Amino acid sequence: MSSARVDYIAPWWTYWLHNFPHINLRFQPADNSFQPGDENYQQSLMFLGCVAAAGLGLNLLCLAVYLSCLCCCRKDEEEESKKPNSCCVTWSAVAAGLITCVAVGVGFYGNSETNDGVYQLTYSLYNANHTLGGVDSLVTGTMGNMKSSLHQHLARLDEIFATRGDYVQTLQFMQQMADNVIKQLLGLPDWEEAKVDLASIADQTASIEYYRWFTYLLLLILDLIICLLACLGLAKQSRWLLTTMMVFGVLTLVLSWTSLGADLATAVGTSDFCVSPDKYVMSQTKGIISADIVHYYIYCNQTLSNPFQQVGNVTLQTEPSRRR
């Protein structure tokens, strides 16, 4: 097998979102490193939601101005002067419908890609939980076997070869090696102290993602239906249908801008984590697992010294020298 290490490279769009301006609610720049417990970082994500809220307000203001001008500035015009205005309104509606359809298409694509990404995340969490569970089971089983079976066999061999001094010395050395291995196993980090159940997190993430995906799917379908009915109302020149679609359109506009703000804040926060996940993992495991162990298994660099093997080599080198 090839021993070459494949470096972690985040996708290009994560760097693009990571470079978004991080500004807190006091309009001061904040650090763009992933720090969900930091107040300034939380405010920087909330600021992105406020930007979306400002966009919603501006959009509603423009719509209100347009409707006011349409209702209040209506004059008695001749039939020739009405045709150009009607043509302008029709083409404006067609352009707005095309833009809406393109936006909905992008929304369907983004919703599908997000669902695939969350599925890969939950799969990785299940895989990591299985690996950690296997490590705990292996360590527990090994310690149990060495404390019971190995010690019993060594004690039995010590009784059999009690008259042979060289054999007794070898058995004592084996006993010391077994004790050193047990000490090494006891020095392994206790994953239960981390108080993180990856399987439970994966289950919650999958459940939330299902409802998120279904909700966004319904919202996008609702946008399409409103757009199609609005075009039908223009074609039929139905004032009742256009008024109804206007009301539902405003409601959908509010939902769309709200979801955009939430998605933008979530995407920026996720990108901050994906650009440099090792720093966050190191900070979360500080005081629970040794920094050398976390650093060794996060970076998977063969040039780094194994923290367990290094201690074992020192132990094995000192014992034979004592025998000589």
Side-chain angles (χ1 to χ4, degrees):
M1 293 179 61
S2 176
S3 60
R5 172 178 176 262
V6 180
D7 292 332
Y8 168 74
I9 300 176
W12 65 269
W13 56 267
T14 58
Y15 290 98
W16 184 70
L17 291 172
H18 176 67
N19 293 326
F20 257 52
H22 288 63
I23 303 174
N24 58 20
L25 298 179
R26 295 183 295 273
F27 298 98
Q28 297 175 350
D31 189 9
N32 60 356
S33 59
F34 185 71
Q35 300 174 359
D38 185 65
E39 183 179 359
N40 286 329
Y41 184 78
Q42 295 175 359
Q43 291 184 4
S44 66
L45 297 182
M46 294 172 60
F47 181 80
L48 296 175
C50 294
V51 171
L56 172 61
L58 182 61
N59 200 336
L60 292 176
L61 179 62
C62 293
L63 183 61
V65 171
Y66 173 76
L67 293 177
S68 299
C69 294
L70 190 64
C71 295
C72 299
C73 299
R74 190 183 296 264
K75 298 179 180 179
D76 296 330
E77 298 176 345
E78 296 179 356
E79 192 68 23
E80 290 80 11
S81 62
K82 290 182 180 179
K83 291 182 180 179
N85 292 334
S86 177
C87 182
C88 181
V89 171
T90 301
W91 281 107
S92 299
V94 170
L98 290 176
I99 294 175
T100 303
C101 291
V102 171
V104 169
V106 174
F108 275 115
Y109 174 77
N111 193 35
S112 177
E113 288 294 317
T114 303
N115 184 258
D116 292 339
V118 174
Y119 173 78
Q120 295 178 7
L121 173 63
T122 54
Y123 177 80
S124 300
L125 289 175
Y126 284 126
N127 191 18
N129 186 73
H130 177 73
T131 301
L132 294 178
V135 170
D136 287 338
S137 178
L138 182 61
V139 171
T140 303
T142 303
M143 289 180 59
N145 292 331
M146 293 190 68
K147 287 183 178 179
S148 58
S149 301
L150 183 59
H151 282 189
Q152 291 178 2
H153 291 304
L154 290 177
R156 179 58 179 166
L157 289 175
D158 189 55
E159 293 177 359
I160 294 175
F161 298 106
T163 57
R164 301 290 301 272
D166 53 347
Y167 287 173
V168 172
Q169 187 178 7
T170 303
L171 291 174
Q172 290 178 353
F173 175 65
M174 293 179 62
Q175 181 66 45
Q176 292 176 357
M177 290 185 63
D179 293 337
N180 289 331
V181 172
I182 293 176
K183 290 180 180 179
Q184 293 290 323
L185 295 177
L186 290 174
L188 290 175
D190 188 4
W191 302 107
E192 294 181 356
E193 292 183 1
K195 298 179 181 180
V196 176
D197 187 4
L198 296 181
S200 177
I201 294 177
D203 292 335
Q204 294 177 3
T205 303
S207 178
I208 294 174
E209 169 57 22
Y210 171 77
Y211 290 108
R212 185 211 64 81
W213 172 81
F214 188 69
T215 302
Y216 273 75
L217 188 64
L218 292 179
L219 180 61
L220 293 172
I221 293 175
L222 180 61
D223 290 337
L224 275 181
I225 293 174
I226 292 176
C227 182
L228 293 176
L229 290 179
C231 293
L232 180 62
L234 287 174
K236 296 291 185 179
Q237 294 184 354
S238 174
R239 184 168 298 181
W240 175 84
L241 186 57
L242 288 175
T243 304
T244 304
M245 289 304 101
M246 180 65 68
V247 174
F248 282 101
V250 172
L251 178 60
T252 307
L253 195 65
V254 173
L255 294 176
S256 299
W257 276 101
T258 303
S259 63
L260 177 63
D263 289 344
L264 182 60
T266 304
V268 171
T270 305
S271 300
D272 293 338
F273 172 77
C274 292
V275 166
S276 181
D278 50 342
K279 294 181 180 179
Y280 178 71
V281 175
M282 293 283 289
S283 64
Q284 291 298 305
T285 56
K286 186 178 181 180
I288 300 175
I289 305 175
S290 175
D292 295 336
I293 297 175
V294 178
H295 188 272
Y296 178 77
Y297 285 105
I298 283 181
Y299 290 96
C300 298
N301 195 336
Q302 294 184 353
T303 60
L304 298 176
S305 59
N306 191 325
F308 301 111
Q309 187 177 6
Q310 185 178 6
V311 178
N313 288 338
V314 174
T315 304
L316 294 178
Q317 290 174 2
T318 55
E319 292 296 338
S321 63
R322 199 183 308 174
R323 288 182 57 195
R324 290 194 294 265

